[in-house]
Amino acid sequence: MNDRITINTILLAHGGGGRLTHELVSKIFKSKFNNPILDLLDDSAAFEIQVGALNLTPLQLAFTTDSYVVKPFFFPGGDIGKLAICGTVNDLSMKGAKPLYLSAAFIIEEGLEISILKRIVDSMVQSAREAEVQVVAGDTKVVEKGSGDGLFITTTGVGVIEDKSLKISGSNAEPGDLIILSGSVGEHGMAVMNARHQFGFESEFLKSDCAPLNSLVTKMLETNQEIHTLRDPTRGGLATTLNEIAQQSKVGIFIDERKILVKEEVKGACELLGIDPLYVANEGKLVTMVKRKSAEKILEVMHTHPYGKEAVIIGEVKEEPVGVFLQTEIGGTRPLLMLEAEQLPRIC
Amino acid sequence: MNDRITINTILLAHGGGGRLTHELVSKIFKSKFNNPILDLLDDSAAFEIQVGALNLTPLQLAFTTDSYVVKPFFFPGGDIGKLAICGTVNDLSMKGAKPLYLSAAFIIEEGLEISILKRIVDSMVQSAREAEVQVVAGDTKVVEKGSGDGLFITTTGVGVIEDKSLKISGSNAEPGDLIILSGSVGEHGMAVMNARHQFGFESEFLKSDCAPLNSLVTKMLETNQEIHTLRDPTRGGLATTLNEIAQQSKVGIFIDERKILVKEEVKGACELLGIDPLYVANEGKLVTMVKRKSAEKILEVMHTHPYGKEAVIIGEVKEEPVGVFLQTEIGGTRPLLMLEAEQLPRIC
């Protein structure tokens, strides 16, 4: 393992979305499960199922799973239940799929108040209604007190990719593409940290952006413009997502710091913690790379949607050098690296 | 809540597969998520997706999820990884579906040895290969030391129901049906308990029966005989599964104790713990209710398969009374009730 100290045990950082998560995923999961669908490492897997005779068009499905371990359960703007629905709906949407059916598996620690569980399930029901998906399968396991942390929820989603000409993937960014970000960054992670540690920021101003993005994506797809990549910058934030795309597509991603919206309260909380908002998780934002000539039309429809009304072009894709580069407010350009270690544990 | 003491917090028994699990599922999950697919409460959900024009036959899919929290990770005959693959493959098979794709979400406790994780993933890979399914989507979360218990795995599966005339459901048992059990009961639960508590039974003789049943089910379906229900008697054992079917189908299920195979070592371990083997989890067995005239042909092909070679008719379905009734070895008949409370925590 080159010049590093060999790591033999799982660290919190393995779950942080940064370099260690990527190493774990690629060295263990990707290399062992070893198949071309998993290898893409997009937000959702996509596969075809042949229906009837071989001359009929196969059905193209998207499939994604996420465990939610957020702490605390409730925070301004959302809760673990809302997150579990929206997160999985969004991962399907980021593959251009229409989310249809979800499963929900609950690992409950003995002693959890049933009233809390009910509140969380109510929130899931409400989010599922907004996203127009159905929770059709589930499971419940209970572990002894001290063997869990109240509640973990794993949701898995199935969606259909109706337009088979779509080729949306983190590996499809092309030199010349423009990069659109749907709104301000850093709210979700900072809202959860504020709720957990009670920094005292008013919850009215520091709220999670947690939202289902499928109706926004539908509007974007309906423009029939050329969309190459679609991602929601969750764990690890915008910087990590852009780094993943740069690696997958082998391109240079150049973004302008002055174009990226960060709310005042998020800036304040980030300064307090010494954290860069570009590395903080979002749960209701998307970043997309689109053909240059398509950008205007896509931006236009995004502005008509409540979850896209602050959408803005933040940069462009170049052939090289491979990586992410930030044009700073003072006019310089610096590489924006992948997060090394855990910054904000358990924010989703 | 009638004459019971109201329970306000989650107890271990809520995860045991017995009455409390059923109450939790029906009062909270089923009533809140409220949709006809979930309402069936079969091992898998089934739904149709329309492909192309409306005059084309829609694709019928099965979808199921389970979290695995078994302790210890490794036990004779299996481990948490093998279980996570086989359990989900089996749930799809029990709906008559051909399992295709699985997702796997890992909730890891900080400090887990990476070598253990690798061993578990290797075991998943091997089981997926035997079952001919692909793991195409995944997730990794890490929680702090003390907030988990090493590793929890949630797998979700998608399968296709190729024969649309199949109507296999826990609610389809019919009076007159014969009941076939694929082999001996109680091995999985007792093997895990023996591994956890080191009762000292030789692991050579007390092994989990954990196995993927999809190829056995395929053979059974290929007979084109009338199969009404298919279930794998996992958590809560054969007795609980039969009670679920009796309730769902509103029938009387009469089984003969003398026909049910229980290995000597399982009997011994059950006696030691004061547990009835009919309530102990299996992970490689199925119970099926079939049209009387179909039973012989189905039994015949089951006997040609390694996981069905000890299959035997254990009883029959009657119109009433609704419930499960056991003809005992000494010749009497007694009701076999649903498990009240937790017997064996964390065996799957």
Side-chain angles (χ1 to χ4, degrees):
Chain A
M1 303 225 174
N2 55 52
D3 57 344
R4 294 175 183 285
I5 296 161
T6 305
I7 297 168
N8 293 319
T9 59
I10 294 288
L11 311 175
L12 274 179
H14 280 110
R19 195 185 50 79
L20 278 174
T21 305
H22 283 83
E23 271 187 28
L24 182 72
V25 168
S26 74
K27 285 195 187 152
I28 300 188
F29 300 122
K30 201 175 130 174
S31 76
K32 288 185 188 287
F33 288 124
N34 184 29
N35 63 67
I37 304 173
L38 183 64
D39 280 357
L40 271 181
L41 288 184
D42 279 328
D43 285 334
S44 286
F47 48 77
E48 291 186 338
I49 295 182
Q50 184 63 47
V51 198
L54 283 171
N55 57 350
L56 294 174
T57 329
L59 179 70
Q60 202 164 349
L61 293 178
F63 184 47
T64 188
T65 193
D66 262 309
S67 291
Y68 296 87
V69 300
V70 66
K71 193 167 73 167
F73 296 145
F74 303 97
F75 45 84
D79 57 74
I80 188 172
K82 182 178 183 183
L83 204 56
I85 299 292
C86 294
T88 292
V89 161
N90 292 348
D91 281 345
L92 292 171
S93 303
M94 296 309 129
K95 199 75 189 172
K98 179 184 174 182
L100 295 174
Y101 298 107
L102 263 58
S103 66
F106 297 82
I107 299 173
I108 311 174
E109 185 189 16
E110 180 187 13
L112 179 73
E113 280 179 45
I114 291 178
S115 61
I116 290 180
L117 182 64
K118 282 185 180 166
R119 244 179 96 187
I120 290 167
V121 174
D122 282 335
S123 169
M124 294 177 80
V125 170
Q126 200 183 322
S127 296
R129 198 171 294 146
E130 182 186 349
E132 297 184 3
V133 294
Q134 286 189 297
V135 176
V136 295
D139 183 48
T140 313
K141 291 290 183 330
V142 180
V143 296
E144 308 87 337
K145 206 158 181 59
S147 292
D149 199 4
L151 176 66
F152 303 139
I153 304 177
T154 303
T155 49
T156 307
V158 171
V160 61
I161 301 175
E162 289 174 331
D163 178 355
K164 292 189 185 58
S165 66
L166 286 181
K167 290 279 171 281
I168 295 172
S169 170
S171 44
N172 287 353
E174 284 179 14
D177 283 357
L178 291 180
I179 305 166
I180 301 173
L181 179 64
S182 66
S184 54
V185 298
E187 281 126 76
H188 175 72
M190 283 301 113
V192 172
M193 294 305 280
N194 188 35
R196 190 187 306 164
H197 299 293
Q198 302 180 314
F199 298 132
F201 291 93
E202 291 280 348
S203 63
E204 197 185 327
F205 300 110
L206 198 55
K207 255 190 187 167
S208 167
D209 57 340
C210 183
L213 296 173
N214 48 334
S215 60
L216 172 62
V217 171
T218 301
K219 269 181 171 282
M220 293 166 63
L221 296 178
E222 280 169 0
T223 62
N224 285 315
Q225 296 295 311
E226 264 191 66
I227 298 174
H228 294 152
T229 73
L230 258 180
R231 292 288 303 272
D232 55 339
T234 55
R235 201 165 37 158
L238 180 65
T240 302
T241 298
L242 293 178
N243 267 284
E244 289 168 358
I245 297 171
Q247 292 309 322
Q248 285 177 270
S249 297
K250 308 264 173 288
V251 292
I253 291 177
F254 288 76
I255 56 169
D256 185 343
E257 191 172 25
R258 290 160 300 187
K259 298 288 170 62
I260 299 168
L261 283 173
V262 185
K263 288 191 178 159
E264 280 311 313
E265 297 73 22
V266 173
K267 269 188 199 159
C270 281
E271 271 166 26
L272 186 79
L273 291 172
I275 288 175
D276 183 340
L278 297 184
Y279 289 94
V280 177
N282 312 281
E283 290 289 346
K285 298 291 151 44
L286 64 83
V287 61
T288 181
M289 283 151 204
V290 304
K291 197 94 181 165
R292 184 173 291 263
K293 66 175 168 55
S294 296
E296 204 182 322
K297 281 225 172 81
I298 292 168
L299 208 49
E300 204 174 282
V301 303
M302 289 180 77
H303 287 156
T304 67
H305 193 283
Y307 299 141
K309 60 179 192 291
E310 296 185 319
V312 64
I313 294 170
I314 60 164
E316 62 182 321
V317 180
K318 294 185 181 178
E319 196 156 345
E320 52 176 19
V322 172
V324 183
F325 303 90
L326 185 73
Q327 291 159 278
T328 61
E329 294 195 9
I330 52 164
T333 296
R334 64 171 177 90
L336 197 62
L337 301 175
M338 188 163 276
L339 198 66
E340 183 71 6
E342 179 62 79
Q343 252 195 170
L344 302 173
R346 299 187 56 187
I347 43 82
C348 64
Chain B
M1 303 224 175
N2 55 52
D3 58 344
R4 291 175 187 286
I5 296 161
T6 306
I7 298 167
N8 293 319
T9 59
I10 294 289
L11 311 175
L12 274 178
H14 280 111
R19 194 185 50 78
L20 279 173
T21 306
H22 283 83
E23 270 187 27
L24 182 72
V25 168
S26 74
K27 285 196 186 151
I28 299 189
F29 300 121
K30 200 175 133 175
S31 75
K32 288 184 188 289
F33 289 123
N34 186 27
N35 62 66
I37 304 173
L38 183 65
D39 280 358
L40 271 181
L41 290 183
D42 279 329
D43 285 334
S44 286
F47 47 78
E48 291 187 340
I49 295 183
Q50 185 63 47
V51 198
L54 283 171
N55 58 348
L56 294 174
T57 328
L59 180 69
Q60 201 162 350
L61 293 178
F63 184 48
T64 187
T65 194
D66 262 308
S67 291
Y68 296 87
V69 301
V70 66
K71 193 166 74 168
F73 295 145
F74 303 97
F75 44 84
D79 57 74
I80 188 171
K82 181 178 184 183
L83 205 56
I85 299 292
C86 295
T88 292
V89 161
N90 292 348
D91 280 345
L92 292 172
S93 303
M94 296 308 129
K95 198 75 188 173
K98 180 184 173 183
L100 296 174
Y101 297 106
L102 263 58
S103 65
F106 297 82
I107 299 173
I108 310 174
E109 186 189 16
E110 179 188 16
L112 179 74
E113 280 179 45
I114 292 179
S115 61
I116 290 180
L117 182 63
K118 282 185 179 166
R119 243 178 98 189
I120 291 167
V121 174
D122 282 335
S123 169
M124 293 177 80
V125 169
Q126 200 183 319
S127 296
R129 198 171 294 146
E130 182 186 350
E132 297 183 4
V133 294
Q134 285 189 298
V135 176
V136 295
D139 183 48
T140 313
K141 292 291 182 330
V142 180
V143 296
E144 307 88 337
K145 207 160 179 60
S147 292
D149 199 3
L151 176 66
F152 303 138
I153 305 177
T154 302
T155 50
T156 307
V158 171
V160 60
I161 301 174
E162 289 175 329
D163 177 354
K164 293 192 185 56
S165 65
L166 286 181
K167 290 279 170 280
I168 295 172
S169 169
S171 44
N172 286 354
E174 284 178 15
D177 283 357
L178 290 181
I179 305 165
I180 301 172
L181 179 64
S182 66
S184 54
V185 297
E187 281 125 76
H188 175 72
M190 283 302 111
V192 172
M193 293 306 280
N194 188 36
R196 190 187 305 166
H197 298 292
Q198 303 180 314
F199 297 134
F201 291 93
E202 292 279 349
S203 64
E204 198 185 328
F205 300 111
L206 198 54
K207 256 191 187 164
S208 167
D209 57 340
C210 184
L213 297 173
N214 47 333
S215 61
L216 172 61
V217 171
T218 301
K219 268 183 172 280
M220 293 165 63
L221 296 178
E222 280 169 359
T223 62
N224 285 315
Q225 296 295 311
E226 264 189 67
I227 298 174
H228 294 152
T229 73
L230 259 180
R231 292 288 302 274
D232 55 338
T234 55
R235 198 165 40 159
L238 180 65
T240 302
T241 297
L242 293 179
N243 267 283
E244 289 167 358
I245 297 171
Q247 293 308 322
Q248 285 176 270
S249 297
K250 308 265 173 287
V251 292
I253 291 177
F254 288 76
I255 57 170
D256 184 344
E257 192 172 24
R258 289 160 300 186
K259 297 288 171 60
I260 300 168
L261 284 173
V262 185
K263 287 189 178 162
E264 279 312 312
E265 297 73 23
V266 173
K267 267 188 200 159
C270 281
E271 270 166 26
L272 185 80
L273 291 171
I275 287 175
D276 183 339
L278 297 183
Y279 289 94
V280 177
N282 312 281
E283 290 289 345
K285 299 291 152 43
L286 64 82
V287 61
T288 180
M289 283 153 202
V290 305
K291 196 94 181 166
R292 185 173 291 263
K293 67 177 168 51
S294 296
E296 204 180 325
K297 281 223 171 84
I298 292 168
L299 209 48
E300 204 174 282
V301 303
M302 289 180 78
H303 287 155
T304 67
H305 193 283
Y307 299 140
K309 60 180 192 290
E310 296 185 319
V312 63
I313 293 170
I314 59 163
E316 63 182 320
V317 179
K318 294 186 181 178
E319 197 157 344
E320 51 175 22
V322 172
V324 182
F325 303 90
L326 184 74
Q327 291 159 279
T328 60
E329 293 195 9
I330 51 164
T333 297
R334 66 171 176 89
L336 196 63
L337 301 175
M338 186 162 279
L339 198 66
E340 183 71 7
E342 179 62 78
Q343 253 194 169
L344 302 173
R346 300 186 56 187
I347 42 82
C348 64

